[in-house]
Amino acid sequence: MTELADRAADPAIDPTTNPTTNANPAARSVASSSDATDAGAPAVDVAALGELLLGKWAATRRVARALAGRPELHKTEGLSHTDHRQRVFGQLKILVENGAVHRAFPASVGGADEHGGNVAGFQELVIADPSLQIKAGVQWGLFGSAVNHLGTEEHHRTWLPGIMNLDIPGCFAMTETGHGSDVASIATTATYDPATEEFVVHTPFRAAWKDYIGNAAVDGLAAVVFAQLVTRGVSHGVHAFYMELRDPGTKDFLPGIGGEDDGVKGGLNGIDNGRLHFTNVRIPRTNLLNRYGGVDADGSYTSSIASPGRRFFTMLGTLVQGRVSLDGAAVTASKLALKTAIQYATERRQFNASSQTDEEVLLDYQRHQRRLFTRLATTYAAGFASEQLLQKFDDVFSGRNDTDADRQDLETLAAALKPLSTWHALDTLQECREACGGAGFLIENRFASLRADLDVYATFEGDNTVLLQLVAKRLLADYAKEFRTVNFGVLARYVVGQAAGAAIHRTGLRGVAQFVADSGSVQKAAIAIKDEASQRTLLTDRVQTMVAEVGSALKGANKLPQAQGAALFNKHQNELIEAAQAHAELLQWEAFTEALGKVADPGTKVVLTWLRDLFGLSLIEKNLSWYLMNGRLSMQRGRTVGDYINRLLVKIRPHALDLVDAFGFGPEHLRAEIATGAEKVRQDEAREYFRGQRASGQAPVDEKILIARAAKTAPRR
């Protein structure tokens, strides 16, 4: 079993392969190369890089990370889901006691109106226990945030103090069994009765039950319920209503309210997810959270936003912080996994391919570097993009930049980045688990536990695929605006924007002016694909081309009968989502590139540029077939992509530990046995044992050596 587990550490490792030459200065094993041994080789300023990674809200992140490092907030593995739920609810009280949940709420009720810092701190809670992070997110990021952003000052005074201090544990009751991401089609109704000045909330059938609702099974005393508002026989679309669920003393459901426990899940079992249903439950008219739409006593409906569609998206847009939070939390989880896996890979030894006596360090194998360094590069890119998203979020919610266009940009940016970062976290956790062999499968090293808990991140706060479709529609809308009067022959040249210089930055379709306008060929621009400008050319051109092709195919779809238009859109849905993903990857690459401009230390900048290039070239390699089929790269040029990547791996290898040390995690954050240095102690003990045997002459002779000697001395015929 042990041998099989060890070999599973890297299926590409074979005793006959030639790993990177190994050198072992001090406690770190690094690959020897001209880059590592030259006197003028670059070095990483770990402290300065750590500051850059912490971003604008560094102080808040430090406080939150210190709190997340406290044992009383850590996940205890092996608990029953009932005990785990109780532990996490108790941990929420610790967050309240430490003022960790009040930042985003209004100063009028004891908050700080600090939106970006609030999310930055929240993202760090994944270090302690993802269940704690999401339970806190339900209470304050969804339930409390809905009251805050959709309600009025009267609602704030009435309910926010109790929500903030946990006197009112609550639910965010939006999702229904029959409708997940399609919020506009939920079936729960809130029908106004002018005779009593009440709304009657009702779930007309089983599929309309609110489902997967955090806090619904046990702890929730109240909920913000999303329902179709009906008054005077007219449905005004989805609105939010505050509703009491349980008697605070007995915890029994109030009359007309029922529910079920969702039970044990694939992860996040510290959260009591459940189902809720309502049978003609009456609530006061004033329980409508009416910031964007209200009902007068006589039943007349009024709203400051005339368009029902725009009103709906405005209301949902105020709740975008869930996606922003998950994006950053997923990046943090990826960092945890990579720090553990890379630390272990610098200590664990396997196979003596280049030496008769010493086994090789795992991280000196090229394939192992491919597995971990490419994901490390993506994690850096995702982290820098996440910081930009968080700053955009703070700009909007602080009111500094809060136009309709800003909110649409924020919505699009969150919908683009959250899918990539959450998918990447799951992929990284799995790859790091496998790269650590059997040790990676032990719960004590956290990979399996974190992956189970983060699995649902890909489908809540918006299913990832659905979110990318939202991004694709925005790209098409921007495309239509830019090229409403331009024929496809012109579009084929991809002259997007005419500003001389670099990219036009926006969260819709990015225009890059100079690529093809002069040369008429992207291939000519890609003389050296490792060059920054060439990477930008190739990555941007792919997005533009894909959007232009789908836009051309869908031209006139809005004039077709509904069924035909839907069929045409569905025919190109896959291409649309691929274009959106390519766009999101471009956003990450651009964020990484912009971050390089903030690096003052020359050595750090060199190493980070290699890492950025690794990210860009990995994207090009992943989509190499597209570049070849569309004539963007020649076959000869395409063959060089892998070679460039392999050269970068050798350059990055000596700096791998510095790059993960810059994440700033201590043992109390990692909590992984294989990241404690214990493996190095074991390996050093083993090497010393065999060294002593050889020195004393007591080492047994390998049978293969005797056979070789016999073959040499045997008489020739």
Side-chain angles (χ1 to χ4, degrees):
M1 171 65 183
T2 302
E3 182 181 357
L4 289 174
D6 289 346
R7 288 179 179 271
D10 196 328
I13 294 176
D14 184 274
T16 63
T17 60
N18 291 317
T20 306
T21 303
N22 174 42
N24 189 14
R28 292 190 178 188
S29 170
V30 298
S32 65
S33 67
S34 59
D35 298 288
T37 57
D38 289 347
V44 174
D45 185 335
V46 176
L49 178 55
E51 283 299 306
L52 177 66
L53 295 176
L54 286 172
K56 179 178 178 179
W57 291 277
T60 300
R61 288 189 187 277
R62 284 197 187 89
V63 171
R65 192 171 290 184
L67 186 61
R70 287 168 51 172
E72 60 266 35
L73 292 182
H74 294 170
K75 180 179 182 180
T76 300
E77 301 289 354
L79 293 178
S80 68
H81 77 287
T82 300
D83 290 340
H84 194 185
R85 289 172 173 182
Q86 292 175 351
R87 176 173 173 81
V88 171
F89 187 76
Q91 290 169 336
L92 292 186
K93 298 176 182 177
I94 297 175
L95 298 183
V96 173
E97 292 166 0
N98 284 272
V101 298
H102 299 163
R103 297 185 187 97
F105 290 106
S108 61
V109 292
D113 288 308
E114 179 59 56
H115 302 280
N118 177 67
V119 173
F122 171 81
Q123 291 170 346
E124 299 294 324
L125 289 178
V126 74
I127 295 170
D129 182 353
S131 284
L132 172 60
Q133 184 202 36
I134 300 306
K135 180 90 166 178
V138 169
Q139 175 66 20
W140 295 293
L142 292 176
F143 174 56
S145 183
V147 174
N148 186 20
H149 294 301
L150 300 180
T152 62
E153 290 185 8
E154 179 61 30
H155 296 134
H156 296 171
R157 288 192 296 270
T158 303
W159 294 311
L160 283 184
I163 292 172
M164 292 165 65
N165 66 22
L166 206 59
D167 284 347
I168 310 175
C171 309
F172 184 80
M174 176 183 283
T175 300
E176 296 182 354
T177 306
H179 287 98
S181 297
D182 184 10
V183 178
S185 298
I186 61 174
T188 299
T189 56
T191 305
Y192 183 65
D193 180 0
T196 60
E197 296 190 25
E198 294 173 319
F199 284 100
V200 181
V201 182
H202 186 63
T203 45
F205 43 76
R206 176 61 184 81
W209 284 21
K210 301 297 180 180
D211 212 340
Y212 322 113
I213 309 301
N215 283 345
V218 178
D219 295 325
L221 296 181
V224 171
V225 177
F226 288 80
Q228 304 286 352
L229 190 158
V230 179
T231 182
R232 294 183 173 179
V234 177
S235 175
H236 293 278
V238 177
H239 287 65
F241 302 81
Y242 184 93
M243 177 187 293
E244 294 180 357
L245 297 178
R246 289 181 169 94
D247 182 292
T250 65
K251 295 294 183 72
D252 293 333
F253 280 123
L254 297 175
I257 300 173
E260 296 176 353
D261 193 326
D262 277 328
V264 179
K265 309 180 293 291
L268 294 181
N269 280 303
I271 304 170
D272 55 321
N273 294 92
R275 307 178 182 98
L276 297 171
H277 57 87
F278 315 106
T279 304
N280 296 319
V281 178
R282 290 180 171 268
I283 60 174
R285 177 178 65 89
T286 52
N287 280 28
L288 167 64
L289 301 178
N290 60 339
R291 178 177 178 183
Y292 296 105
V295 175
D296 294 335
D298 63 0
S300 57
Y301 179 85
T302 57
S303 174
S304 58
I305 305 174
S307 167
R310 184 162 160 261
R311 185 190 314 133
F312 170 74
F313 284 109
T314 299
M315 285 192 287
L316 291 192
T318 62
L319 307 172
V320 71
Q321 75 179 53
R323 294 169 189 170
V324 178
S325 301
L326 292 181
D327 172 62
V331 172
T332 300
S334 296
K335 290 177 180 178
L336 286 169
L338 285 162
K339 167 59 182 173
T340 297
I342 288 176
Q343 181 75 51
Y344 181 69
T346 62
E347 300 171 0
R348 179 72 162 88
R349 293 177 177 273
Q350 186 93 342
F351 303 119
N352 55 343
S354 64
S355 168
Q356 292 296 324
T357 57
D358 270 353
E359 294 177 296
E360 312 300 337
V361 173
L362 291 184
L363 203 58
D364 286 343
Y365 288 99
Q366 183 191 75
R367 182 61 179 177
H368 215 79
Q369 294 169 3
R370 272 262 186 171
R371 299 172 75 181
L372 298 181
F373 292 174
T374 53
R375 288 170 174 82
L376 178 63
T378 303
T379 299
Y380 264 78
F384 289 131
S386 180
E387 177 69 13
Q388 289 188 348
L389 172 61
L390 186 54
Q391 292 197 31
K392 181 69 174 176
F393 169 81
D394 188 64
D395 285 344
V396 168
F397 280 80
S398 68
R400 285 189 298 272
N401 295 290
D402 188 16
T403 65
D404 284 345
D406 288 318
R407 286 185 174 262
Q408 289 175 24
D409 284 352
L410 172 61
E411 182 79 19
T412 304
L413 190 56
L417 296 181
K418 181 262 186 183
L420 265 61
S421 59
T422 53
W423 275 330
H424 172 66
L426 295 176
D427 170 69
T428 298
L429 285 162
Q430 181 64 24
E431 196 68 28
C432 288
R433 200 296 290 165
E434 293 181 30
C436 293
F441 196 56
L442 299 178
I443 286 295
E444 70 178 15
N445 292 316
R446 296 189 73 193
F447 297 119
S449 177
L450 277 171
R451 197 195 183 289
D453 284 336
L454 264 68
D455 201 342
V456 75
Y457 282 35
T459 51
F460 73 8
E461 292 299 316
D463 176 275
N464 283 354
T465 299
V466 175
L467 289 179
L468 287 178
Q469 184 166 295
L470 184 154
V471 175
K473 289 182 177 180
R474 172 66 188 276
L475 292 175
L476 284 177
D478 284 2
Y479 164 87
K481 291 176 184 177
E482 296 252 6
F483 303 112
R484 188 172 290 139
T485 60
V486 182
N487 63 47
F488 188 75
V490 176
L491 294 180
R493 292 178 56 82
Y494 314 113
V495 187
V496 183
Q498 295 302 317
I504 299 171
H505 290 281
R506 58 187 143 192
T507 57
L509 182 64
R510 282 175 175 246
V512 178
Q514 75 276 21
F515 299 157
V516 193
D518 297 329
S519 69
S521 169
V522 175
Q523 191 169 333
K524 292 180 183 178
I527 297 172
I529 55 178
K530 61 182 179 179
D531 175 74
E532 176 182 306
S534 298
Q535 289 177 42
R536 178 179 281 119
T537 298
L538 290 167
L539 295 173
T540 306
D541 174 71
R542 182 166 180 262
V543 177
Q544 295 171 345
T545 303
M546 296 170 79
V547 174
E549 287 178 347
V550 179
S552 177
L554 294 178
K555 189 175 182 179
N558 58 338
K559 299 178 182 178
L560 295 174
Q562 183 177 356
Q564 292 181 29
L568 181 61
F569 186 89
N570 189 56
K571 183 179 178 180
H572 297 280
Q573 186 182 40
N574 189 62
E575 299 98 294
L576 272 170
I577 290 172
E578 287 187 351
Q581 182 164 344
H583 171 69
E585 291 166 345
L586 173 60
L587 292 173
Q588 291 180 331
W589 184 91
E590 289 281 13
F592 202 151
T593 302
E594 290 175 25
L596 289 175
K598 302 175 183 177
V599 179
D601 177 67
T604 304
K605 190 166 189 174
V606 168
V607 176
L608 282 187
T609 299
W610 291 337
L611 200 65
R612 190 281 315 276
D613 290 346
L614 178 59
F615 175 61
L617 292 177
S618 296
L619 292 176
I620 293 168
E621 184 183 53
K622 181 178 73 170
N623 300 297
L624 193 55
S625 60
W626 185 93
Y627 289 105
L628 294 173
M629 288 189 299
N630 286 274
R632 299 315 195 263
L633 288 175
S634 67
M635 189 68 71
Q636 181 178 3
R637 182 66 63 192
R639 290 193 184 101
T640 68
V641 177
D643 290 338
Y644 282 139
I645 288 175
N646 292 338
R647 293 176 201 171
L648 287 169
L649 298 176
V650 175
K651 291 181 177 181
I652 293 168
R653 169 65 181 94
H655 310 283
L657 276 178
D658 286 340
L659 289 169
V660 293
D661 284 348
F663 294 153
F665 298 131
E668 72 278 16
H669 303 127
L670 296 174
R671 305 196 303 282
E673 178 63 24
I674 56 174
T676 62
E679 182 62 29
K680 184 179 185 302
V681 173
R682 287 191 291 268
Q683 294 292 333
D684 288 348
E685 179 188 22
R687 296 170 76 202
E688 187 60 33
Y689 171 81
F690 289 117
R691 188 180 294 115
Q693 274 198 329
R694 292 193 299 271
S696 66
Q698 297 177 357
V701 179
D702 193 311
E703 181 185 3
K704 290 184 289 185
I705 295 176
L706 294 178
I707 294 172
R709 289 175 181 171
K712 288 182 179 179
T713 58
R716 296 183 179 180
R717 295 182 181 178

